[in-house]
Amino acid sequence: MKTLKGLFLLVVILSFVTSFVNAQSKETGALVGSVKLEDGSPVPGVLVTLKAEEIVGATKTTLTNETGSYRFVGLQPGVYAISAELEGFAKAVQKGIKISIGKTLTV
């Protein structure tokens, strides 16, 4: 009987945690993408900075991985600017990126 009660409690806890995580992801958005050269080859180690235009303190940075990919999750909805920097290359900037609730945008 103890095992059945323990299993029931575990299921209840897992259900609560899953619903909490789902609720959190529905209040934010995400941005993914990759940095590539003109010939399509990936560029690892690029510093990618994402900054909200109207949300104070909403700046995030990451480095591209070995496939040139980056990812930002848990973003508040709003308009962002993204930049990519690597020594020896010109800085690239893109503005006006709109992040929406529950959506993953690819840039």
Side-chain angles (χ1 to χ4, degrees):
M1 195 68 163
K2 276 187 173 182
T3 306
L4 187 57
K5 286 182 181 180
L7 181 61
F8 177 73
L9 181 59
L10 180 62
V11 169
V12 169
I13 291 171
L14 287 176
S15 296
F16 175 74
V17 169
T18 302
S19 64
F20 178 74
V21 169
N22 285 338
Q24 290 291 351
S25 67
K26 291 180 182 176
E27 294 175 5
T28 61
L31 177 74
V32 298
S34 60
V35 178
K36 298 181 180 180
L37 296 176
E38 289 179 0
D39 67 1
S41 15
V43 186
V46 175
L47 176 64
V48 181
T49 303
L50 184 67
K51 184 174 182 179
E53 295 178 6
E54 297 179 3
I55 304 169
V56 176
T59 299
K60 295 186 176 201
T61 60
T62 191
L63 293 174
T64 57
N65 64 17
E66 63 279 353
T67 64
S69 298
Y70 61 87
R71 183 175 189 199
F72 295 100
V73 296
L75 301 174
Q76 295 179 29
V79 179
Y80 289 76
I82 191 168
S83 64
E85 298 177 76
L86 183 64
E87 189 174 328
F89 292 88
K91 180 178 179 178
V93 178
Q94 185 173 348
K95 296 181 178 180
I97 300 168
K98 295 179 184 175
I99 301 296
S100 302
I101 294 173
K103 304 286 182 184
T104 298
L105 183 62
T106 302
V107 175

